[in-house]
Amino acid sequence: AARDALQPYQEAADWEGGLALLRALDGPRAAQLSANDWYRLHRALVVAMQTRSQAAALPPPPDDSGLDALRASLDLRCFFLTAPRVPLCRRIDERCGAMLQAGLLREVSDLLLQRKLLPSHPAGRAIGYRQALEYLLRPCYAPRDADALSSFVHAFAAASRRYAQQQTKWFRSETSFEWVDVDWSAPEAAAERVLASVRKPRLEHEDDLAAPRQAEMRAVKPDEGKAMKRYVERHDALEDVAVCEALLREADACCEALQAARADLLAADEALAERYPWHAADAGGEGGTGSAARAAQRMSGWSAARGADAGEPGGAS
């Protein structure tokens, strides 16, 4: 019933209309959802329709294993390592490049051929896998397509930077986490800071969490936002001729190995999409059927997306 109720709204990319269905049953839960997260909207609507109760009002499940009591007895110390955004984004770009040089495309290609990974799998939505799947299954494959490779690398890195910024935004509201500055040139200092905090008595640790310094670290920094507007990506995978040539050869080999199976893979993905219909809408509210079919549509828009993203890779906060 929830799926049938949501389907017309999803097909019309009407997020507010779909969200209104949940809001009528569970307003607090509706307010927690991120825009265009159709998967979680469906899950929340199922719970609300089956229980006719707000999620917050549902009784907690019985603690037969005693895990809740065990957790309550533990002195847990949580930490969030933070760094200036520009150096962090540089490291993210480097990490994406390292994953590519370590064989990400070959890994995804092998999983595709074994039918262990398809775009409509839950894992197929993961950053890195998703962009690699779109690249490998793109229509009109041509060998030595440097533009397609460049678009893929930029899309992979941009999605990774956006996710890092989303994590930072989320942890700003988690006051049980102590924020710790990290200097990538001397990570030992951050490790010592964490160990020192762990050795403190619990009450002293709680005082540290409430200290003004923690509030300052969590606050949005306008200067970082301005610096990110001037951020320019650098990728060895594209700028180093030898590295780029090697990556192009590997990419071509993967794409060519998939060409004969491409039609069967797209058909299998369409069938799988019926099991995971709420994976059909991406962050932009895109409709359609199988993820692989939608990937073909997105490939043509990657270059435009790159231009829009390059000015603010990590978001505006």
Side-chain angles (χ1 to χ4, degrees):
R3 180 176 301 176
D4 292 340
L6 276 178
Q7 186 171 357
Y9 294 100
Q10 186 191 1
E11 290 178 348
D14 182 5
W15 170 254
E16 286 300 322
L19 188 64
L21 298 178
L22 178 62
R23 191 179 291 118
L25 298 172
D26 190 348
R29 179 66 182 122
Q32 295 173 351
L33 296 183
S34 299
N36 299 309
D37 191 343
W38 293 96
Y39 177 71
R40 286 183 173 81
L41 175 57
H42 172 242
R43 295 291 299 273
L45 191 60
V46 168
V47 172
M49 293 176 72
Q50 288 179 348
T51 63
R52 293 294 170 179
S53 301
Q54 294 186 0
L58 294 175
D63 184 25
D64 297 330
S65 63
L67 287 177
D68 289 342
L70 174 61
R71 292 189 189 98
S73 69
L74 297 176
D75 180 7
L76 298 176
R77 311 283 176 97
C78 305
F79 301 89
F80 178 67
L81 304 183
T82 182
R85 285 180 61 191
V86 170
L88 176 60
C89 287
R90 291 278 177 236
R91 286 180 61 87
I92 291 172
D93 289 345
E94 292 170 3
R95 177 59 180 160
C96 291
M99 292 172 68
L100 290 171
Q101 294 180 53
L104 173 63
L105 290 176
R106 176 62 64 186
E107 174 187 337
V108 174
S109 174
D110 290 345
L111 290 172
L112 271 169
L113 290 171
Q114 298 169 37
R115 304 297 196 275
K116 292 182 178 179
L117 178 68
L118 290 169
S120 289
H121 274 132
R125 305 173 71 215
I127 295 173
Y129 273 175
R130 177 175 182 170
Q131 290 76 25
L133 286 164
E134 292 177 354
Y135 172 66
L136 293 171
L137 293 174
R138 68 190 187 277
C140 305
Y141 159 71
R144 299 190 58 76
D145 189 343
D147 287 340
L149 177 64
S150 177
S151 293
F152 158 56
V153 172
H154 283 283
F156 176 25
S160 301
R161 294 193 303 271
R162 284 193 297 269
Y163 184 64
Q165 183 60 10
Q166 289 168 5
Q167 288 181 315
T168 300
K169 290 178 181 179
W170 189 84
F171 276 103
R172 283 195 181 110
S173 63
E174 290 295 312
T175 56
S176 61
F177 281 74
E178 180 177 350
W179 282 40
V180 178
D181 279 321
V182 177
D183 180 352
W184 300 119
S185 63
E188 302 82 3
E192 288 298 324
R193 177 72 181 84
V194 169
L195 290 174
S197 185
V198 168
R199 297 188 188 106
K200 292 181 179 181
R202 178 68 199 186
L203 290 179
E204 188 174 344
H205 174 68
E206 291 179 356
D207 288 341
D208 289 344
L209 291 177
R213 172 59 179 159
Q214 286 293 303
E216 292 173 5
M217 294 177 68
R218 286 190 177 90
V220 174
K221 299 175 177 61
D223 289 346
E224 288 194 347
K226 293 177 181 178
M228 288 305 299
K229 292 184 183 298
R230 300 187 297 273
Y231 183 83
V232 178
E233 301 174 58
R234 294 196 296 265
H235 298 285
D236 287 343
L238 302 177
E239 298 173 8
D240 186 301
V241 175
V243 173
C244 186
E245 282 292 324
L247 191 56
L248 265 176
R249 287 194 298 271
E250 180 177 82
D252 285 350
C254 292
C255 290
E256 288 166 8
L258 290 167
Q259 288 306 297
R262 185 173 181 274
D264 290 341
L265 289 169
L266 294 178
D269 187 65
E270 293 291 338
L272 184 65
E274 296 180 3
R275 293 177 53 193
Y276 300 102
W278 310 112
H279 292 180
D282 67 4
E286 216 173 345
T289 51
S291 294
R294 293 189 310 280
Q297 299 171 0
R298 278 195 292 271
M299 282 296 299
S300 63
W302 267 2
S303 295
R306 271 181 52 198
D309 173 79
E312 187 59 44
S317 295

